[in-house]
Amino acid sequence: MVPDIGRGSRTHGLLVYLYGPGRREEHTDAHLIGSWDGFAPAPGRDTDPQVTLARLTAALDLRVKQAGDRAPAKHVWHCSVRTAPGDRRLSDEEWNTVAQRIVHATGIAPDGDPDGCRWIAVRHAEDHIHIVATLVRGDLRNPRLNYDFNKAQAVCRRIEEEMGLRRLNAGDGTAAKNPTSAEKFKAERTGRPETSRETLREAVRQAVAGANDEKEFFTRLREAGLRVKVRHAPSGDALGYNVALPGDRNRHGEPVWYPGSKLAPDLSLPKIRLRLADGTAERATPSPASGRPDWSPPARERRSATGIAERAAVLLDGDDDEAAAQLVGVGELLDAVAQTSPIATRTELAAAARAFERATRSHVRAERADTRALRSAARRIVQAGGALGLGEDGGTTAMLVSTLVLVTLAAARWHSARGHAQQAHASRQAAEHLRTAYRQAATTPMRVLHDQGRALPEAQRRTHEATLRAALSEQGVRADGTPTKTDALVATLAQAEQAGHDPEALLQQAIDLRELDTAADVNDVLVWRLRRLAQLPAHPGEAPRRPQAVTRQTKTSANRTSERNALTVATRPAVSNPRSRPPRR
């Protein structure tokens, strides 16, 4: 059950809308189901609804007129309450009970208070009602409505339990503000898929992802095509900022500006400054060596970011409050990947970043926030430009997304342990979007690896499969042992051995990185860990190279290598693919 509260100044205008046909003829059988005294005029089912509507407006506004200048400018309190999809249909009597409990809980009309505000509840659809109140009490004082939304949320959670309705996740006051009804209708009227508030929130979030300083943040906003207005103190220091979409204007033809703090609690300029100070991207530190020099910059940066994301997951698994800072960094990394990802995966990755945005905020604060590694990874991914959906670009995208699935699941566990229901749900939503993106990115490289695994000599296959069974059973991990599932993992072990690694030692290193219990497919996770640790190409059509520093060898490794047939890997000819990169953000 979802309440949505707003304020206004025109009682009659709101009633006309509630009893009218709706903007899309969606209102049916509008009728009164409750009121402050049970005897309010009831338009909608009488012979002269316009006259009754005028009488109802006068009754609701009576105390407002009596209070005169003491009445608040926005004296109309409006709360819509909607049941969740799939809930049973409530009767008018049940909805009346819901309305009475909400006006009591919020302080509009407490039970037993004869001077409570005047209110009505109107129903014009099966799944929701509208509560309208005028904010002047019988003693001509204004009601105390502190935290009215939080109080309405709390009583709705209790009503859900008592009435057997779907129980929604409780909030903690850190969520971003939802678009208003007016914003939603404006988006529909102008043909936009989402409201200006939502578009701006995502654009600002992407601009701050990996930004080195405040100047770069504002530069990215302008490069994204937003209108930016910075508020300055007399000293010249920036106090805050507002953003607007080009062409989005109000009825007076002026731009519709949104302060950063109204887009999301953590997008105000002071909060962004704290983030930049806590995790300033390392200007002079070059990207760690992460592959061949001939690999594209997007591929190298994705491979590097995979290891950094693994370490973030380990910190989240540690159940320490300091891991709260990692959540912010992971959110920036998701935004950076979504901006630069191939078209085939961009939609799902953008949805994952948008969902995880809710998981980055809670009341837990890390005293020693340090997100330098994650923010640097996000920055380098943005600077590297767009990745292609094939070759090493596509393979490293699958490698990174596979790890990000486990990171978001670790975030879900971290939030669940602290009772953050909304954030845990958002983390799991992000994980589902990432799984879909992974399947899109990994289809081609995994198919090639399966083919390479099946092409191995039988003796070589049996040896590597025995290595897998022994290593995984010792760790208490079960992988799908069917040939079609282990082929890619066997091929990776064979290629790692050909490159000079000891398969047993390398496999153990991959298993020890962190837990595998939450992996939907243990085989796939291990494939990408092994290929990253052994510096094997993420695109399996490319030949592996011998590492500069060989992973620790066992005494029998050389003998085993000489007894096995060398793996023949088909090498694709180099193709010149001109890359059109977006401008530096």
Side-chain angles (χ1 to χ4, degrees), residues 130-161:
H130 293 262
I131 305 171
V132 180
T134 46
L135 300 181
V136 178
R137 291 167 42 83
D139 52 15
L140 302 187
R141 293 187 293 113
N142 298 336
R144 294 182 178 179
L145 298 179
N146 296 334
Y147 307 106
D148 55 343
F149 178 75
N150 292 343
K151 293 173 182 177
Q153 286 270 22
V155 74
C156 282
R157 300 293 83 77
R158 292 193 292 271
I159 291 172
E160 289 165 355
E161 184 175 6

PDB file of all heavy atoms in Angstrom, residues 130-161:
ATOM      1  N   HIS A 130      -8.379   8.820  -2.763  1.00  0.00           N
ATOM      2  CA  HIS A 130      -7.738  10.115  -2.556  1.00  0.00           C
ATOM      3  C   HIS A 130      -8.325  10.727  -1.282  1.00  0.00           C
ATOM      4  O   HIS A 130      -9.549  10.822  -1.142  1.00  0.00           O
ATOM      5  CB  HIS A 130      -8.000  11.054  -3.734  1.00  0.00           C
ATOM      6  CG  HIS A 130      -7.346  10.620  -5.004  1.00  0.00           C
ATOM      7  ND1 HIS A 130      -6.154  11.128  -5.436  1.00  0.00           N
ATOM      8  CD2 HIS A 130      -7.735   9.706  -5.942  1.00  0.00           C
ATOM      9  CE1 HIS A 130      -5.817  10.563  -6.588  1.00  0.00           C
ATOM     10  NE2 HIS A 130      -6.769   9.698  -6.912  1.00  0.00           N
ATOM     11  N   ILE A 131      -7.438  11.124  -0.381  1.00  0.00           N
ATOM     12  CA  ILE A 131      -7.857  11.820   0.841  1.00  0.00           C
ATOM     13  C   ILE A 131      -7.552  13.297   0.659  1.00  0.00           C
ATOM     14  O   ILE A 131      -6.425  13.671   0.320  1.00  0.00           O
ATOM     15  CB  ILE A 131      -7.125  11.277   2.075  1.00  0.00           C
ATOM     16  CG1 ILE A 131      -7.310   9.762   2.193  1.00  0.00           C
ATOM     17  CG2 ILE A 131      -7.616  11.966   3.348  1.00  0.00           C
ATOM     18  CD1 ILE A 131      -6.449   9.119   3.258  1.00  0.00           C
ATOM     19  N   VAL A 132      -8.564  14.151   0.871  1.00  0.00           N
ATOM     20  CA  VAL A 132      -8.408  15.593   0.747  1.00  0.00           C
ATOM     21  C   VAL A 132      -8.763  16.224   2.081  1.00  0.00           C
ATOM     22  O   VAL A 132      -9.834  15.951   2.643  1.00  0.00           O
ATOM     23  CB  VAL A 132      -9.307  16.170  -0.363  1.00  0.00           C
ATOM     24  CG1 VAL A 132      -9.124  17.685  -0.461  1.00  0.00           C
ATOM     25  CG2 VAL A 132      -9.003  15.516  -1.701  1.00  0.00           C
ATOM     26  N   ALA A 133      -7.865  17.059   2.610  1.00  0.00           N
ATOM     27  CA  ALA A 133      -8.120  17.749   3.882  1.00  0.00           C
ATOM     28  C   ALA A 133      -7.736  19.211   3.730  1.00  0.00           C
ATOM     29  O   ALA A 133      -6.867  19.565   2.922  1.00  0.00           O
ATOM     30  CB  ALA A 133      -7.324  17.107   5.007  1.00  0.00           C
ATOM     31  N   THR A 134      -8.407  20.075   4.524  1.00  0.00           N
ATOM     32  CA  THR A 134      -8.024  21.486   4.581  1.00  0.00           C
ATOM     33  C   THR A 134      -7.352  21.742   5.923  1.00  0.00           C
ATOM     34  O   THR A 134      -7.857  21.314   6.971  1.00  0.00           O
ATOM     35  CB  THR A 134      -9.240  22.391   4.403  1.00  0.00           C
ATOM     36  OG1 THR A 134     -10.325  21.932   5.220  1.00  0.00           O
ATOM     37  CG2 THR A 134      -9.689  22.383   2.945  1.00  0.00           C
ATOM     38  N   LEU A 135      -6.203  22.431   5.876  1.00  0.00           N
ATOM     39  CA  LEU A 135      -5.293  22.463   7.016  1.00  0.00           C
ATOM     40  C   LEU A 135      -5.559  23.602   7.988  1.00  0.00           C
ATOM     41  O   LEU A 135      -4.670  24.399   8.321  1.00  0.00           O
ATOM     42  CB  LEU A 135      -3.854  22.529   6.499  1.00  0.00           C
ATOM     43  CG  LEU A 135      -3.429  21.353   5.612  1.00  0.00           C
ATOM     44  CD1 LEU A 135      -1.986  21.489   5.174  1.00  0.00           C
ATOM     45  CD2 LEU A 135      -3.635  20.031   6.348  1.00  0.00           C
ATOM     46  N   VAL A 136      -6.811  23.686   8.455  1.00  0.00           N
ATOM     47  CA  VAL A 136      -7.154  24.578   9.562  1.00  0.00           C
ATOM     48  C   VAL A 136      -8.066  23.797  10.502  1.00  0.00           C
ATOM     49  O   VAL A 136      -9.080  23.247  10.076  1.00  0.00           O
ATOM     50  CB  VAL A 136      -7.873  25.862   9.070  1.00  0.00           C
ATOM     51  CG1 VAL A 136      -8.266  26.732  10.267  1.00  0.00           C
ATOM     52  CG2 VAL A 136      -6.979  26.646   8.123  1.00  0.00           C
ATOM     53  N   ARG A 137      -7.683  23.740  11.753  1.00  0.00           N
ATOM     54  CA  ARG A 137      -8.461  22.993  12.739  1.00  0.00           C
ATOM     55  C   ARG A 137      -9.686  23.787  13.189  1.00  0.00           C
ATOM     56  O   ARG A 137      -9.848  24.964  12.837  1.00  0.00           O
ATOM     57  CB  ARG A 137      -7.579  22.690  13.956  1.00  0.00           C
ATOM     58  CG  ARG A 137      -6.474  21.700  13.687  1.00  0.00           C
ATOM     59  CD  ARG A 137      -5.447  21.662  14.824  1.00  0.00           C
ATOM     60  NE  ARG A 137      -6.060  21.698  16.139  1.00  0.00           N
ATOM     61  CZ  ARG A 137      -6.554  20.637  16.764  1.00  0.00           C
ATOM     62  NH1 ARG A 137      -6.482  19.435  16.193  1.00  0.00           N
ATOM     63  NH2 ARG A 137      -7.103  20.756  17.956  1.00  0.00           N
ATOM     64  N   GLY A 138     -10.532  23.139  13.992  1.00  0.00           N
ATOM     65  CA  GLY A 138     -11.730  23.804  14.499  1.00  0.00           C
ATOM     66  C   GLY A 138     -11.403  24.970  15.406  1.00  0.00           C
ATOM     67  O   GLY A 138     -12.196  25.920  15.519  1.00  0.00           O
ATOM     68  N   ASP A 139     -10.268  24.933  16.105  1.00  0.00           N
ATOM     69  CA  ASP A 139      -9.851  26.047  16.951  1.00  0.00           C
ATOM     70  C   ASP A 139      -9.058  27.087  16.158  1.00  0.00           C
ATOM     71  O   ASP A 139      -8.407  27.955  16.743  1.00  0.00           O
ATOM     72  CB  ASP A 139      -9.026  25.554  18.137  1.00  0.00           C
ATOM     73  CG  ASP A 139      -7.870  24.656  17.702  1.00  0.00           C
ATOM     74  OD1 ASP A 139      -7.541  24.641  16.496  1.00  0.00           O
ATOM     75  OD2 ASP A 139      -7.303  23.945  18.563  1.00  0.00           O
ATOM     76  N   LEU A 140      -9.096  26.953  14.813  1.00  0.00           N
ATOM     77  CA  LEU A 140      -8.457  27.859  13.860  1.00  0.00           C
ATOM     78  C   LEU A 140      -6.924  27.864  13.952  1.00  0.00           C
ATOM     79  O   LEU A 140      -6.269  28.812  13.502  1.00  0.00           O
ATOM     80  CB  LEU A 140      -8.992  29.294  14.014  1.00  0.00           C
ATOM     81  CG  LEU A 140     -10.513  29.458  13.829  1.00  0.00           C
ATOM     82  CD1 LEU A 140     -10.892  30.933  13.845  1.00  0.00           C
ATOM     83  CD2 LEU A 140     -10.987  28.788  12.565  1.00  0.00           C
ATOM     84  N   ARG A 141      -6.360  26.813  14.524  1.00  0.00           N
ATOM     85  CA  ARG A 141      -4.906  26.641  14.490  1.00  0.00           C
ATOM     86  C   ARG A 141      -4.544  25.698  13.349  1.00  0.00           C
ATOM     87  O   ARG A 141      -5.384  24.939  12.852  1.00  0.00           O
ATOM     88  CB  ARG A 141      -4.400  26.070  15.820  1.00  0.00           C
ATOM     89  CG  ARG A 141      -4.565  27.034  16.984  1.00  0.00           C
ATOM     90  CD  ARG A 141      -3.904  26.492  18.257  1.00  0.00           C
ATOM     91  NE  ARG A 141      -4.578  25.312  18.748  1.00  0.00           N
ATOM     92  CZ  ARG A 141      -4.042  24.078  18.776  1.00  0.00           C
ATOM     93  NH1 ARG A 141      -2.807  23.893  18.306  1.00  0.00           N
ATOM     94  NH2 ARG A 141      -4.716  23.054  19.245  1.00  0.00           N
ATOM     95  N   ASN A 142      -3.276  25.745  12.951  1.00  0.00           N
ATOM     96  CA  ASN A 142      -2.797  24.819  11.927  1.00  0.00           C
ATOM     97  C   ASN A 142      -2.407  23.493  12.566  1.00  0.00           C
ATOM     98  O   ASN A 142      -1.872  23.481  13.685  1.00  0.00           O
ATOM     99  CB  ASN A 142      -1.578  25.401  11.199  1.00  0.00           C
ATOM    100  CG  ASN A 142      -1.905  26.695  10.480  1.00  0.00           C
ATOM    101  OD1 ASN A 142      -3.057  26.955  10.126  1.00  0.00           O
ATOM    102  ND2 ASN A 142      -0.892  27.518  10.267  1.00  0.00           N
ATOM    103  N   PRO A 143      -2.674  22.381  11.913  1.00  0.00           N
ATOM    104  CA  PRO A 143      -2.295  21.088  12.494  1.00  0.00           C
ATOM    105  C   PRO A 143      -0.780  20.893  12.453  1.00  0.00           C
ATOM    106  O   PRO A 143      -0.072  21.510  11.644  1.00  0.00           O
ATOM    107  CB  PRO A 143      -2.986  20.077  11.569  1.00  0.00           C
ATOM    108  CG  PRO A 143      -3.067  20.776  10.262  1.00  0.00           C
ATOM    109  CD  PRO A 143      -3.285  22.224  10.582  1.00  0.00           C
ATOM    110  N   ARG A 144      -0.280  20.051  13.350  1.00  0.00           N
ATOM    111  CA  ARG A 144       1.138  19.706  13.347  1.00  0.00           C
ATOM    112  C   ARG A 144       1.330  18.487  12.442  1.00  0.00           C
ATOM    113  O   ARG A 144       0.867  17.391  12.767  1.00  0.00           O
ATOM    114  CB  ARG A 144       1.627  19.400  14.758  1.00  0.00           C
ATOM    115  CG  ARG A 144       1.596  20.621  15.677  1.00  0.00           C
ATOM    116  CD  ARG A 144       2.134  20.283  17.051  1.00  0.00           C
ATOM    117  NE  ARG A 144       2.162  21.451  17.930  1.00  0.00           N
ATOM    118  CZ  ARG A 144       2.580  21.417  19.196  1.00  0.00           C
ATOM    119  NH1 ARG A 144       3.004  20.269  19.722  1.00  0.00           N
ATOM    120  NH2 ARG A 144       2.570  22.516  19.935  1.00  0.00           N
ATOM    121  N   LEU A 145       1.992  18.722  11.330  1.00  0.00           N
ATOM    122  CA  LEU A 145       2.133  17.656  10.334  1.00  0.00           C
ATOM    123  C   LEU A 145       3.595  17.247  10.135  1.00  0.00           C
ATOM    124  O   LEU A 145       3.989  16.871   9.034  1.00  0.00           O
ATOM    125  CB  LEU A 145       1.546  18.102   8.997  1.00  0.00           C
ATOM    126  CG  LEU A 145       0.046  18.426   8.996  1.00  0.00           C
ATOM    127  CD1 LEU A 145      -0.388  18.872   7.614  1.00  0.00           C
ATOM    128  CD2 LEU A 145      -0.751  17.220   9.446  1.00  0.00           C
ATOM    129  N   ASN A 146       4.379  17.323  11.197  1.00  0.00           N
ATOM    130  CA  ASN A 146       5.778  16.924  11.071  1.00  0.00           C
ATOM    131  C   ASN A 146       5.866  15.443  10.693  1.00  0.00           C
ATOM    132  O   ASN A 146       5.230  14.589  11.301  1.00  0.00           O
ATOM    133  CB  ASN A 146       6.519  17.154  12.390  1.00  0.00           C
ATOM    134  CG  ASN A 146       6.571  18.626  12.760  1.00  0.00           C
ATOM    135  OD1 ASN A 146       6.502  19.480  11.882  1.00  0.00           O
ATOM    136  ND2 ASN A 146       6.676  18.922  14.039  1.00  0.00           N
ATOM    137  N   TYR A 147       6.675  15.165   9.667  1.00  0.00           N
ATOM    138  CA  TYR A 147       6.913  13.781   9.225  1.00  0.00           C
ATOM    139  C   TYR A 147       5.614  13.067   8.845  1.00  0.00           C
ATOM    140  O   TYR A 147       5.437  11.880   9.116  1.00  0.00           O
ATOM    141  CB  TYR A 147       7.655  12.979  10.304  1.00  0.00           C
ATOM    142  CG  TYR A 147       8.910  13.636  10.784  1.00  0.00           C
ATOM    143  CD1 TYR A 147       8.965  14.253  12.039  1.00  0.00           C
ATOM    144  CD2 TYR A 147      10.048  13.681   9.981  1.00  0.00           C
ATOM    145  CE1 TYR A 147      10.120  14.877  12.481  1.00  0.00           C
ATOM    146  CE2 TYR A 147      11.210  14.305  10.409  1.00  0.00           C
ATOM    147  CZ  TYR A 147      11.242  14.897  11.662  1.00  0.00           C
ATOM    148  OH  TYR A 147      12.385  15.511  12.087  1.00  0.00           O
ATOM    149  N   ASP A 148       4.684  13.818   8.225  1.00  0.00           N
ATOM    150  CA  ASP A 148       3.406  13.196   7.877  1.00  0.00           C
ATOM    151  C   ASP A 148       3.580  12.047   6.896  1.00  0.00           C
ATOM    152  O   ASP A 148       2.879  11.023   6.987  1.00  0.00           O
ATOM    153  CB  ASP A 148       2.429  14.233   7.317  1.00  0.00           C
ATOM    154  CG  ASP A 148       3.001  15.015   6.134  1.00  0.00           C
ATOM    155  OD1 ASP A 148       4.233  15.001   5.949  1.00  0.00           O
ATOM    156  OD2 ASP A 148       2.218  15.649   5.405  1.00  0.00           O
ATOM    157  N   PHE A 149       4.535  12.153   5.955  1.00  0.00           N
ATOM    158  CA  PHE A 149       4.728  11.062   5.003  1.00  0.00           C
ATOM    159  C   PHE A 149       5.254   9.817   5.709  1.00  0.00           C
ATOM    160  O   PHE A 149       4.785   8.700   5.450  1.00  0.00           O
ATOM    161  CB  PHE A 149       5.703  11.493   3.901  1.00  0.00           C
ATOM    162  CG  PHE A 149       5.995  10.402   2.911  1.00  0.00           C
ATOM    163  CD1 PHE A 149       5.065  10.045   1.951  1.00  0.00           C
ATOM    164  CD2 PHE A 149       7.198   9.702   2.951  1.00  0.00           C
ATOM    165  CE1 PHE A 149       5.315   9.028   1.042  1.00  0.00           C
ATOM    166  CE2 PHE A 149       7.462   8.688   2.048  1.00  0.00           C
ATOM    167  CZ  PHE A 149       6.518   8.355   1.094  1.00  0.00           C
ATOM    168  N   ASN A 150       6.222   9.991   6.601  1.00  0.00           N
ATOM    169  CA  ASN A 150       6.758   8.829   7.324  1.00  0.00           C
ATOM    170  C   ASN A 150       5.672   8.168   8.167  1.00  0.00           C
ATOM    171  O   ASN A 150       5.609   6.929   8.267  1.00  0.00           O
ATOM    172  CB  ASN A 150       7.921   9.255   8.221  1.00  0.00           C
ATOM    173  CG  ASN A 150       9.131   9.691   7.423  1.00  0.00           C
ATOM    174  OD1 ASN A 150       9.238   9.406   6.239  1.00  0.00           O
ATOM    175  ND2 ASN A 150      10.049  10.404   8.067  1.00  0.00           N
ATOM    176  N   LYS A 151       4.824   8.972   8.766  1.00  0.00           N
ATOM    177  CA  LYS A 151       3.745   8.419   9.596  1.00  0.00           C
ATOM    178  C   LYS A 151       2.723   7.680   8.735  1.00  0.00           C
ATOM    179  O   LYS A 151       2.214   6.620   9.137  1.00  0.00           O
ATOM    180  CB  LYS A 151       3.068   9.536  10.380  1.00  0.00           C
ATOM    181  CG  LYS A 151       3.972  10.165  11.428  1.00  0.00           C
ATOM    182  CD  LYS A 151       3.325  11.390  12.066  1.00  0.00           C
ATOM    183  CE  LYS A 151       4.257  12.040  13.087  1.00  0.00           C
ATOM    184  NZ  LYS A 151       3.664  13.281  13.668  1.00  0.00           N
ATOM    185  N   ALA A 152       2.432   8.233   7.554  1.00  0.00           N
ATOM    186  CA  ALA A 152       1.507   7.546   6.645  1.00  0.00           C
ATOM    187  C   ALA A 152       2.106   6.219   6.179  1.00  0.00           C
ATOM    188  O   ALA A 152       1.404   5.206   6.083  1.00  0.00           O
ATOM    189  CB  ALA A 152       1.184   8.445   5.450  1.00  0.00           C
ATOM    190  N   GLN A 153       3.399   6.220   5.881  1.00  0.00           N
ATOM    191  CA  GLN A 153       4.075   4.979   5.485  1.00  0.00           C
ATOM    192  C   GLN A 153       3.976   3.938   6.587  1.00  0.00           C
ATOM    193  O   GLN A 153       3.686   2.761   6.337  1.00  0.00           O
ATOM    194  CB  GLN A 153       5.555   5.262   5.184  1.00  0.00           C
ATOM    195  CG  GLN A 153       5.800   5.977   3.874  1.00  0.00           C
ATOM    196  CD  GLN A 153       5.999   4.986   2.736  1.00  0.00           C
ATOM    197  OE1 GLN A 153       5.590   3.845   2.809  1.00  0.00           O
ATOM    198  NE2 GLN A 153       6.628   5.447   1.674  1.00  0.00           N
ATOM    199  N   ALA A 154       4.228   4.354   7.825  1.00  0.00           N
ATOM    200  CA  ALA A 154       4.235   3.407   8.943  1.00  0.00           C
ATOM    201  C   ALA A 154       2.860   2.785   9.155  1.00  0.00           C
ATOM    202  O   ALA A 154       2.739   1.565   9.362  1.00  0.00           O
ATOM    203  CB  ALA A 154       4.705   4.111  10.216  1.00  0.00           C
ATOM    204  N   VAL A 155       1.807   3.605   9.087  1.00  0.00           N
ATOM    205  CA  VAL A 155       0.474   3.049   9.310  1.00  0.00           C
ATOM    206  C   VAL A 155       0.063   2.151   8.145  1.00  0.00           C
ATOM    207  O   VAL A 155      -0.648   1.150   8.323  1.00  0.00           O
ATOM    208  CB  VAL A 155      -0.557   4.178   9.558  1.00  0.00           C
ATOM    209  CG1 VAL A 155      -0.898   4.915   8.282  1.00  0.00           C
ATOM    210  CG2 VAL A 155      -1.821   3.615  10.199  1.00  0.00           C
ATOM    211  N   CYS A 156       0.513   2.466   6.934  1.00  0.00           N
ATOM    212  CA  CYS A 156       0.212   1.602   5.788  1.00  0.00           C
ATOM    213  C   CYS A 156       0.865   0.234   5.950  1.00  0.00           C
ATOM    214  O   CYS A 156       0.297  -0.785   5.546  1.00  0.00           O
ATOM    215  CB  CYS A 156       0.674   2.263   4.492  1.00  0.00           C
ATOM    216  SG  CYS A 156      -0.432   3.562   3.887  1.00  0.00           S
ATOM    217  N   ARG A 157       2.070   0.197   6.532  1.00  0.00           N
ATOM    218  CA  ARG A 157       2.710  -1.106   6.753  1.00  0.00           C
ATOM    219  C   ARG A 157       1.881  -1.944   7.732  1.00  0.00           C
ATOM    220  O   ARG A 157       1.742  -3.155   7.567  1.00  0.00           O
ATOM    221  CB  ARG A 157       4.125  -0.914   7.310  1.00  0.00           C
ATOM    222  CG  ARG A 157       5.103  -0.137   6.454  1.00  0.00           C
ATOM    223  CD  ARG A 157       5.467  -0.865   5.160  1.00  0.00           C
ATOM    224  NE  ARG A 157       4.505  -0.659   4.112  1.00  0.00           N
ATOM    225  CZ  ARG A 157       4.405   0.448   3.385  1.00  0.00           C
ATOM    226  NH1 ARG A 157       5.234   1.442   3.607  1.00  0.00           N
ATOM    227  NH2 ARG A 157       3.497   0.554   2.439  1.00  0.00           N
ATOM    228  N   ARG A 158       1.327  -1.302   8.760  1.00  0.00           N
ATOM    229  CA  ARG A 158       0.499  -2.041   9.719  1.00  0.00           C
ATOM    230  C   ARG A 158      -0.809  -2.490   9.081  1.00  0.00           C
ATOM    231  O   ARG A 158      -1.288  -3.609   9.324  1.00  0.00           O
ATOM    232  CB  ARG A 158       0.226  -1.167  10.945  1.00  0.00           C
ATOM    233  CG  ARG A 158       1.475  -0.884  11.785  1.00  0.00           C
ATOM    234  CD  ARG A 158       1.109  -0.289  13.127  1.00  0.00           C
ATOM    235  NE  ARG A 158       0.558   1.052  13.010  1.00  0.00           N
ATOM    236  CZ  ARG A 158       1.282   2.173  13.023  1.00  0.00           C
ATOM    237  NH1 ARG A 158       2.597   2.097  13.125  1.00  0.00           N
ATOM    238  NH2 ARG A 158       0.693   3.343  12.937  1.00  0.00           N
ATOM    239  N   ILE A 159      -1.408  -1.634   8.248  1.00  0.00           N
ATOM    240  CA  ILE A 159      -2.662  -1.990   7.579  1.00  0.00           C
ATOM    241  C   ILE A 159      -2.448  -3.182   6.648  1.00  0.00           C
ATOM    242  O   ILE A 159      -3.291  -4.086   6.561  1.00  0.00           O
ATOM    243  CB  ILE A 159      -3.212  -0.771   6.804  1.00  0.00           C
ATOM    244  CG1 ILE A 159      -3.675   0.309   7.785  1.00  0.00           C
ATOM    245  CG2 ILE A 159      -4.367  -1.179   5.892  1.00  0.00           C
ATOM    246  CD1 ILE A 159      -4.048   1.624   7.116  1.00  0.00           C
ATOM    247  N   GLU A 160      -1.333  -3.192   5.929  1.00  0.00           N
ATOM    248  CA  GLU A 160      -1.021  -4.315   5.033  1.00  0.00           C
ATOM    249  C   GLU A 160      -1.030  -5.632   5.790  1.00  0.00           C
ATOM    250  O   GLU A 160      -1.608  -6.635   5.335  1.00  0.00           O
ATOM    251  CB  GLU A 160       0.347  -4.103   4.383  1.00  0.00           C
ATOM    252  CG  GLU A 160       0.391  -2.998   3.353  1.00  0.00           C
ATOM    253  CD  GLU A 160       1.806  -2.583   3.010  1.00  0.00           C
ATOM    254  OE1 GLU A 160       2.754  -3.087   3.651  1.00  0.00           O
ATOM    255  OE2 GLU A 160       1.975  -1.761   2.087  1.00  0.00           O
ATOM    256  N   GLU A 161      -0.408  -5.627   6.950  1.00  0.00           N
ATOM    257  CA  GLU A 161      -0.330  -6.864   7.739  1.00  0.00           C
ATOM    258  C   GLU A 161      -1.701  -7.275   8.259  1.00  0.00           C
ATOM    259  O   GLU A 161      -2.078  -8.450   8.205  1.00  0.00           O
ATOM    260  CB  GLU A 161       0.637  -6.653   8.902  1.00  0.00           C
ATOM    261  CG  GLU A 161       0.878  -7.900   9.731  1.00  0.00           C
ATOM    262  CD  GLU A 161       1.920  -7.675  10.799  1.00  0.00           C
ATOM    263  OE1 GLU A 161       2.371  -6.528  10.980  1.00  0.00           O
ATOM    264  OE2 GLU A 161       2.279  -8.663  11.470  1.00  0.00           O
TER     265      GLU A 161
END
